[in-house]
Amino acid sequence: MNKKIIVIVVNEKIKQIIKKDLSKYPCELYFFENTNEALQLIYDAIPDLVLVEAINYPLFDVSMLNDLKSDPIFLSMNVVAIVSSDFYIENWRNFLVDDYIRVNTLELDLPMRISICFERAERIIATNPLTKLPGNLAIQKELQKRLDRGDVFALAYADLDNFKPFNDKYGFSRGDEVIKMLGRLIFNIVRADQPSGSFIGHIGGDDFVYMMIPEKIEKTTEKIINFFNNLILNFYDAEDIKKGYIESINREGKTQIFPIMTVSVGITSNQYRIFNHFSEMAEVASTMKSVAKKQKDKRYAIDRRRDIR
C-alpha cells in the first residue's frame, strides 16, 4: 500500500530533489508551502510521514508541528526535517521531529532516511508497549512463517484467571506490573529451556503466546505455572493472601469473592495435525486454554488430536 507523505517546503530546488528522489518510491506526495495549509489534510487522514523544510522555518510553524507531535493521536506520524548544513540544536524538546537530514546531503540521504523511518515505525507498531515483546502483528507473521516453512512446533496460548477483579481492586498500575512479571517469566523460562528457535509474544492485555519444539513445551509450561503461583503472592496485600481471595466487583456490578490469580495455558502443535493458516492454529490453542480454565487439577491443556496425513 502506498505511503502518504506530506511535504512542506518553500525552496524550489529542494522540492525538485524530493520529487526526483521519491519518484520511484511507492507513495502519494502532497506538497504545501506551510504547515497551516497542510493541517486539513493531516487531520483528515494521518499521513505516514511529514517531510518539512526547516531551514529558516518560522517559529509559528515549528510550534504547530510540536503541538501535533505532542498529541497522542499523531504518535505514529513521522516528521523528518530538512535542516541547514550547519544545523545544531541543544534541546530537542523544542523541535519534536523524528529525524533530520542536512540539506547538503539531501539528494544522497533522503531515500535511505525515509526507508529507515518507516521500518522503525513498523517495528514500534509490532511491539507491545508494556512488555516490549513482539505484538499481535509480529506473532501472526511468525506463526505463518513457521507453517509456510513446514517447521514442526508447538504453540502455547496463556492468559490470567481472575485478572480483571484484581485490576478493579488494586488498580491498573499494579495490574500492569503483574502483566510485565508474566511476560518476563515466560520469556526467561522459555529462552532458558530452548535458547534457539523459540518465540515469545504478547498479544495484548493478559494474553501471551510462546512457540517451542513440541518435546519441551509441556515441561516449560509446568515451570511457568509453578513460578507464577509463587510470584503472584507478592502482588497481593497480606490480608488478602491470608484469606486466599479478594473481594471485587463482578461483571454484573455485584461484590464477589475471587481466588488468587492463576495462569491458564492451552497448547497445540502441528506435529500430528495439519494447519495451513496461523488463525487455525491460534484458534485451537485458544480453545485448549478454555479447557484448561475448567480443569481443577492442572492449569494447562494439550490438544492431542491427530489428523490423517
Side-chain angles (χ1 to χ4, degrees), residues 53-176:
E53 176 199 340
I55 303 167
N56 300 320
Y57 209 60
L59 287 176
F60 172 68
D61 276 7
V62 170
S63 172
M64 277 200 289
L65 278 175
N66 286 347
D67 287 345
L68 281 175
K69 284 296 288 179
S70 59
D71 186 334
I73 233 173
F74 294 101
L75 273 179
S76 63
M77 182 182 77
N78 291 290
V79 176
V80 175
I82 300 164
V83 298
S84 63
S85 55
D86 59 350
F87 173 79
Y88 174 76
I89 189 169
E90 284 190 356
N91 190 352
W92 283 98
R93 291 181 182 277
N94 298 326
F95 196 32
L96 299 181
V97 297
D98 299 286
D99 200 354
Y100 65 88
I101 309 170
R102 296 187 193 282
V103 68
N104 55 321
T105 64
L106 179 64
E107 200 159 6
L108 181 66
D109 286 348
L110 183 62
M112 178 186 65
R113 290 290 185 90
I114 287 180
S115 294
I116 291 172
C117 208
F118 287 145
E119 286 174 16
R120 184 171 58 229
E122 286 178 6
R123 282 199 299 273
I124 292 170
I125 291 170
T127 304
N128 186 284
L130 183 62
T131 59
K132 312 298 184 201
L133 290 170
N136 207 21
L137 186 61
I139 293 167
Q140 291 176 11
K141 284 184 177 178
E142 180 66 21
L143 255 175
Q144 194 61 51
K145 186 173 74 177
R146 290 180 183 228
L147 290 174
D148 291 344
R149 278 199 313 236
D151 295 357
V152 175
F153 65 102
L155 169 70
Y157 190 152
D159 83 357
L160 295 170
D161 312 307
N162 300 313
F163 176 69
K164 185 178 182 305
F166 177 93
N167 228 17
D168 291 342
K169 176 178 171 66
Y170 291 119
F172 67 87
S173 178
R174 207 188 295 193
D176 282 353

Side-chain angles (χ1 to χ4, degrees), residues 34-45:
N34 62 64
T35 305
N36 201 33
E37 291 177 0
L39 276 182
Q40 188 58 51
L41 193 57
I42 291 173
Y43 280 118
D44 284 347

Side-chain angles (χ1 to χ4, degrees), residues 44-308:
D44 284 347
I46 299 171
D48 299 289
L49 170 70
V50 174
L51 185 60
V52 57
E53 176 199 340
I55 303 167
N56 300 320
Y57 209 60
L59 287 176
F60 172 68
D61 276 7
V62 170
S63 172
M64 277 200 289
L65 278 175
N66 286 347
D67 287 345
L68 281 175
K69 284 296 288 179
S70 59
D71 186 334
I73 233 173
F74 294 101
L75 273 179
S76 63
M77 182 182 77
N78 291 290
V79 176
V80 175
I82 300 164
V83 298
S84 63
S85 55
D86 59 350
F87 173 79
Y88 174 76
I89 189 169
E90 284 190 356
N91 190 352
W92 283 98
R93 291 181 182 277
N94 298 326
F95 196 32
L96 299 181
V97 297
D98 299 286
D99 200 354
Y100 65 88
I101 309 170
R102 296 187 193 282
V103 68
N104 55 321
T105 64
L106 179 64
E107 200 159 6
L108 181 66
D109 286 348
L110 183 62
M112 178 186 65
R113 290 290 185 90
I114 287 180
S115 294
I116 291 172
C117 208
F118 287 145
E119 286 174 16
R120 184 171 58 229
E122 286 178 6
R123 282 199 299 273
I124 292 170
I125 291 170
T127 304
N128 186 284
L130 183 62
T131 59
K132 312 298 184 201
L133 290 170
N136 207 21
L137 186 61
I139 293 167
Q140 291 176 11
K141 284 184 177 178
E142 180 66 21
L143 255 175
Q144 194 61 51
K145 186 173 74 177
R146 290 180 183 228
L147 290 174
D148 291 344
R149 278 199 313 236
D151 295 357
V152 175
F153 65 102
L155 169 70
Y157 190 152
D159 83 357
L160 295 170
D161 312 307
N162 300 313
F163 176 69
K164 185 178 182 305
F166 177 93
N167 228 17
D168 291 342
K169 176 178 171 66
Y170 291 119
F172 67 87
S173 178
R174 207 188 295 193
D176 282 353
E177 291 304 313
V178 172
I179 288 172
K180 284 194 279 189
M181 177 273 283
L182 179 59
R184 286 195 301 272
L185 187 66
I186 293 174
F187 180 85
N188 289 337
I189 293 176
V190 169
R191 279 298 159 90
D193 285 359
Q194 189 186 326
S196 175
S198 58
F199 177 91
I200 304 98
H202 183 184
I203 295 170
D206 59 328
D207 293 303
F208 291 84
V209 296
Y210 48 98
M211 302 175 208
M212 304 179 72
I213 58 173
E215 294 78 14
K216 287 182 178 285
I217 202 161
E218 184 172 2
K219 289 291 180 193
T220 300
T221 299
E222 288 174 347
K223 281 187 200 173
I224 290 169
I225 291 171
N226 291 336
F227 271 99
F228 181 85
N229 289 344
N230 290 324
L231 290 173
I232 192 59
L233 298 177
N234 297 316
F235 293 85
Y236 282 83
D237 290 347
E239 59 189 43
D240 290 330
I241 295 172
K242 191 176 178 182
K243 289 187 296 186
Y245 63 83
I246 62 170
E247 291 182 11
S248 189
I249 306 299
N250 65 18
R251 296 183 188 278
E252 287 74 43
K254 297 177 181 175
T255 302
Q256 185 178 325
I257 288 173
F258 294 92
I260 300 294
M261 232 187 298
T262 47
V263 57
S264 291
V265 184
I267 299 169
T268 189
S269 90
N270 62 348
Q271 190 170 25
Y272 302 111
R273 298 205 59 181
I274 299 170
F275 297 109
N276 296 310
H277 194 265
F278 71 86
S279 62
E280 298 168 5
M281 198 168 186
E283 185 178 345
V284 173
S286 177
T287 301
M288 297 314 298
K289 177 170 63 80
S290 300
V291 173
K293 285 180 178 294
K294 295 173 184 171
Q295 296 178 161
K296 293 181 179 176
D297 54 338
K298 59 183 182 181
R299 304 306 301 172
Y300 67 92
I302 302 176
D303 173 33
R304 301 191 188 279
R305 291 169 290 183
R306 297 187 177 206
D307 294 330
I308 299 173

